[in-house]
Amino acid sequence: ARTLREMMHASGEKILLADSSKFGRKSLGVVNKITELDKIITDDGLGREEILKLEQAGIKVITV
């Protein structure tokens, strides 16, 4: 996780690719705060309310 965190800090743009089932779950390992992301690419299963919250935090959400 430490190496991945360092790679993310060195990158120009931080993009998360995850299906909608991963949202709203807790994890034992945290690599980065979601608010530090620039974009999230996910499927159309993510609710509109959650998308609005992410966009209000300055994160561009792309659904496919």
Side-chain angles (χ1 to χ4, degrees):
R2 180 183 295 170
T3 302
L4 185 55
R5 198 173 304 120
E6 291 298 322
M7 289 172 34
M8 289 183 75
H9 287 294
S11 69
E13 189 172 32
K14 295 166 190 74
I15 302 171
L16 172 68
L17 175 62
D19 66 82
S20 60
S21 71
K22 303 299 186 259
F23 290 85
R25 299 177 70 189
K26 296 197 185 249
S27 175
L28 294 176
V30 176
V31 175
N32 215 42
K33 293 179 181 177
I34 199 161
T35 55
E36 294 179 9
L37 298 172
D38 298 305
K39 293 180 186 171
I40 294 175
I41 302 172
T42 189
D43 60 77
D44 60 2
L46 192 60
R48 185 69 189 142
E49 187 174 311
E50 186 64 29
I51 291 172
L52 287 173
K53 286 180 187 177
L54 292 166
E55 290 176 337
Q56 289 172 349
I59 302 167
K60 180 176 173 112
V61 179
I62 302 167
T63 56
V64 294

